[in-house]
Amino acid sequence: MIFDEISRNILRRFQWPRGGDCKYVGRPSVYRIARDLNVHPKVVRLRLKELFDSGLIRGVKFYTDDAFMPWKRYFVLINKTKGVQKIIYEHFKEFPFIERVIFGTLYVSDSSNFPDADTVEVEFSSIAIIAMNDTDLKEKMKAVEAIFGTEPNIIGVLDDSSKDPKLLNKIDLTIVNEILYQDPLTMSINGMAQKLNIPVHTLRRRIQKLLDDEVIYEEVSLDTNKARRVLIASVIIKGDYHDWLPKILKSKFLSERLLLYKNFSIFSFFIFYAENFSAIDDLTTEVTKIEPGSLVTYRNGSYNNPYVTYPVPDTML
């Protein structure tokens, strides 16, 4: 797999709509990416095939801002990490309330040796669970424990409840639920309009309003072990990415290496590439200047559940 500047720029285009162009007509496609990068569409098509076939990109999926949804997205942190992603990945079909699993390795200082703190590796896993409320979550956690055969050493549940609820009406929720199952690269307004029995112009207008309100966005699932000739690291910072992105972009070193960014409950993930381990050290130093409490992770990855179900409350049926 080639992961040069062309491939990296293609990957950056999947930040949509956060990356600038918030219009539906600007969503990533082979031809739009080719036009933006001034390369032939065949080049983009071949590079995308390499990125997917290599396993670096596990998938591209639409997600929603939880503040607009009737259900809640909980991130459950598990300190029993060995085999977590494999166990849950193999059971996705049986558990449609598990949206995805995220895993990686944190590199943190061993505070027990302070002030001569050594850097130690700490494995982590997290599963995203869709539930209506805390009671519903508890019932679903019983099923999660069952697939492990024992309690999976849950160390915390992250739930970003800092935003005021701005729930969608029934029609928009129906549209969003359908979008969540669409392939971003092949999504068709005409096909969706026919399936939902909504006029095309009405559907296009409503989708654009959802984009304007930042209800829906695109996200790439990566397996950073699959990158070749470069290293890929994620930086975790507490807080919304809107607060940290401007500061990161002020650093030439960081802005040139930034690939993607996203929120993870109450944390932000910023994904960078580095030429070698020395550059990883430099990246860590640069990010620490912005936020001393940041964490650097390696060997990150995530799996999306193709069988996930997004519920609609009975009151909206």
Side-chain angles (χ1 to χ4, degrees), residues 27 33-34 43 61 104 108 149 151 198 217 226 241 244 251 256 264 272 287 314:
R27 78 188 196 282
I33 294 172
V43 174
K61 185 181 181 301
V108 297
E151 186 175 344
I198 298 175
Y217 60 92
K226 304 297 184 179
Y241 78 87
W244 297 111
S251 165
E256 288 179 348
F264 175 71
F272 299 89
V287 173
D314 295 339

Side-chain angles (χ1 to χ4, degrees), residues 175 189 192-193 196 198-207:
I175 293 171
I189 285 283
M192 283 184 59
L196 298 176
I198 298 175
V200 172
H201 69 277
T202 299
L203 181 58
R204 181 176 288 108
R205 175 174 53 80
R206 284 185 173 270
I207 289 178

Side-chain angles (χ1 to χ4, degrees), residues 49-219:
K49 186 175 187 304
E50 287 181 346
L51 291 169
F52 278 93
D53 289 350
S54 69
L56 176 63
I57 295 182
R58 291 192 180 278
V60 183
K61 185 181 181 301
F62 287 115
Y63 285 92
T64 63
D65 185 327
D66 296 349
F68 293 90
M69 308 310 294
W71 39 260
K72 301 173 73 173
R73 180 182 285 116
Y74 298 84
F75 289 95
V76 180
L77 302 177
I78 303 175
N79 65 2
K80 176 184 177 181
T81 57
K82 188 175 182 180
V84 166
Q85 60 266 28
K86 185 175 186 292
I87 292 171
I88 296 179
Y89 176 74
E90 292 176 349
H91 288 80
F92 267 154
K93 193 170 185 177
E94 303 167 44
F95 300 101
F97 55 83
I98 297 179
E99 186 180 41
R100 57 178 164 168
V101 56
I102 300 171
F103 56 93
T105 304
L106 293 175
Y107 280 66
V108 297
S109 295
D110 182 0
S111 58
S112 62
N113 293 329
F114 188 84
D116 298 322
D118 295 325
T119 299
V120 298
E121 295 185 4
V122 179
E123 303 298 324
F124 75 92
S125 290
S126 173
I127 56 175
I129 294 180
I130 301 299
M132 296 306 297
N133 48 49
D134 292 354
T135 300
D136 188 26
L137 173 68
K138 290 179 182 178
E139 290 300 313
K140 289 174 176 175
M141 285 306 302
K142 293 178 182 178
V144 172
E145 293 174 8
I147 69 174
F148 286 94
T150 181
E151 186 175 344
N153 301 326
I154 298 165
I155 59 176
V157 177
L158 301 180
D159 171 30
D160 187 0
S161 56
S162 61
K163 298 180 180 178
D164 294 329
K166 296 170 285 189
L167 299 185
L168 301 176
N169 60 38
K170 181 180 178 181
I171 295 177
D172 285 339
L173 180 61
T174 300
I175 293 171
V176 168
N177 276 2
E178 178 60 31
I179 289 174
L180 290 173
Y181 294 106
Q182 293 289 324
D183 181 338
L185 283 170
T186 60
M187 177 178 170
S188 166
I189 285 283
N190 291 337
M192 283 184 59
Q194 184 175 7
K195 182 176 181 179
L196 298 176
N197 195 27
I198 298 175
V200 172
H201 69 277
T202 299
L203 181 58
R204 181 176 288 108
R205 175 174 53 80
R206 284 185 173 270
I207 289 178
Q208 186 56 57
K209 181 64 165 57
L210 293 170
L211 290 171
D212 292 341
D213 292 340
E214 299 183 341
V215 177
I216 57 175
Y217 60 92
E218 209 172 42
E219 189 174 302

